[in-house]
Amino acid sequence: MITKRFSLSLLVALLCTFCFGQKVILLTKQNGVYTIPCSINGVKRSLVFDTGATTVTISMQLAELLYRQGKLSDSDIKGYGRSQTASGHIVDNMAIVLKDIEISGLHLKNVDAVVIEGQNVPLLLGLSAIQKLGKVTLQGNRLIIDSSILPNSLLAGIRSQIESHIENGEYNAAIASLKRIESQDAMEERDVFNLALCYCYSKDYNKALMYCQQWMGTYKETTPSHEPDVCYFMGLSYMGLKSHYDADTWFAKAIRLISIDAVERTSREDANTLSYYYNQKAVNYLEGNAYENSVEAFDIATQYRMRYLGVNAEDLCAGRIKDERIGIWLYSISKMQAVYLHNDAKSERYAILAALCGNQEAIEFCEHFKLDYSPRL
C-alpha cells in the first residue's frame, strides 16, 4: 500500500511538473522577489526572475569566476557601455554572450547578457530571455513554459538561427528548428525550401523529395527564383536514390531555368551556378556508366567555370588558371578517356591541362608517363 501511494504521488508530481509540452518551474520567494535556479555556463546560481527586465544581468564577481574556470573567454566579450538600473542609476557595464543557461532541463543558447560591477548586483533573468523557450505564464510561484508554442516575436530569431545552421553545414540542427516551426502551422516559403535543402544535404532523400514536391505544389508560381534550386535538390535526391534517369531530368530542368544562352552570353553569376549544376550532372552520368555524356558534362562545367572566373582557353593552356575545381573536372575527363573510352591521346591532353591547373594527381600522372605539362605560351 505504501509503495502504491508513493508511486501515485510520484506520478502526480511528474504530471504537474512536465506534461503536454509544458514545463512547470517552482520559483522561490526571497525578500519580496522570485528567484529561479539556473546553471550559467555550467555554474549553478539562483537568478532573480524579473518580468520587467529586457536582458540577463550578472555580477562582475560571477563573470570573473566563469573566466577563471575557462567557461567565459575573450571571444564572448562583445563590448562596453552604460546602462540604467531599476533604481535609476547609470552604471558601466560589459556586454557578453553566455553560451548556455540551463533552467530545469531547458537550455537557452548564446544568450546576450550584461555584466555590472558592484558587491550587491542582483543576478537577473529577464522575461524576454526566457520567452525564447516558448510561451511563458506566471501563476503565483509557478512559472509555466510551454515549449510547444512559439511566440510570433521569436520566429524571426529562430529563422535567423536556422540560416546560420545551414551556412555552417549544421543541417540536423536546422531541421530540428524547422520542424518546431512546422508544428506551429507557421511554415513560410523559405521554411519549406530550407527543409528540402537540409534533408537533401543530410542525405535523407525521400524526405527531401517530399518537401521539394510540397514547395512545387505551393510556391512555384509565387517564388520562381527558388525553382532552379528546388529542381537541383530533386536531381540530387533522385541521384542519391540511384534513379539516374530521373536525376538527369531534374538537373536538365534546373539548367534550363537558369539560362539557355551560349556560355559567352551567360552572366558570370549564372555561369557559376551552371558550373555546379553541370558538375553534378556529370557525376550522375558517371555513376550511371554513361561515360561519353559524363565527359561532355564535365567539359561544359569547365567552360562555365572559366566564364565565371573571366578566363579563356588561352589562359588555360598558358598555365594562368590555378583552379581546383577545373583541375578536378579535367582530370576526371582524362581518367574516363583512358579507362572507359580507350582514347589515350585525349586522356593525355586532358591530363596535361589538369596539371597546368595545378591538379596534383594529374601532375604525378604526367611525370610518371613523362608528359610535358609546361605552359603553352
Side-chain angles (χ1 to χ4, degrees), residues 15 24 61 104 107 129 133 149 163 182 235 239 266 282 345 349:
L15 287 173
V24 179
Q61 183 182 16
S104 195
H107 292 265
L133 296 172
I149 298 177
E163 296 294 342
E182 187 179 40
M239 182 178 160
T266 304
R349 191 183 315 147

Side-chain angles (χ1 to χ4, degrees), residues 27 33-36 47-57 84-87 122-131 138 143:
L27 306 179
V33 297
Y34 286 115
T35 62
I36 183 170
L47 272 68
V48 174
F49 180 61
D50 187 349
T51 57
T54 58
T55 186
V56 174
T57 302
Q84 186 174 21
T85 66
S87 61
L123 309 181
L124 298 179
L125 178 65
L127 179 62
S128 59
I130 203 169
Q131 277 180 333
L138 187 61
L143 181 66

Side-chain angles (χ1 to χ4, degrees), residues 324 327-328 331 354-355 357-367 373:
E324 181 181 6
I328 291 171
Y331 194 55
C357 282
N359 182 276
Q360 191 58 42
E361 282 188 81
I363 291 171
E364 292 173 3
F365 176 89
C366 290
E367 291 179 349
Y373 62 95

Side-chain angles (χ1 to χ4, degrees), residues 14-43:
L14 287 171
L15 287 173
C16 290
T17 305
F18 189 50
C19 61
F20 305 114
Q22 291 186 342
K23 189 81 170 180
V24 179
I25 302 171
L26 298 179
L27 306 179
T28 302
K29 196 167 188 178
Q30 295 178 341
N31 300 322
V33 297
Y34 286 115
T35 62
I36 183 170
C38 301
S39 174
I40 302 172
N41 284 6
V43 175

Side-chain angles (χ1 to χ4, degrees), residues 242-253:
K242 308 302 179 185
S243 182
H244 298 295
Y245 177 82
D246 290 323
D248 185 55
T249 299
W250 285 103
F251 287 141
K253 185 170 184 179

Side-chain angles (χ1 to χ4, degrees), residues 4 37 73 127 147 184 194 264 296 335 341:
K4 288 183 179 178
S73 64
L127 179 62
S147 57
Q184 306 288 302
N194 280 338
E264 63 272 13
E296 181 183 11
K335 289 187 286 187
L341 302 178

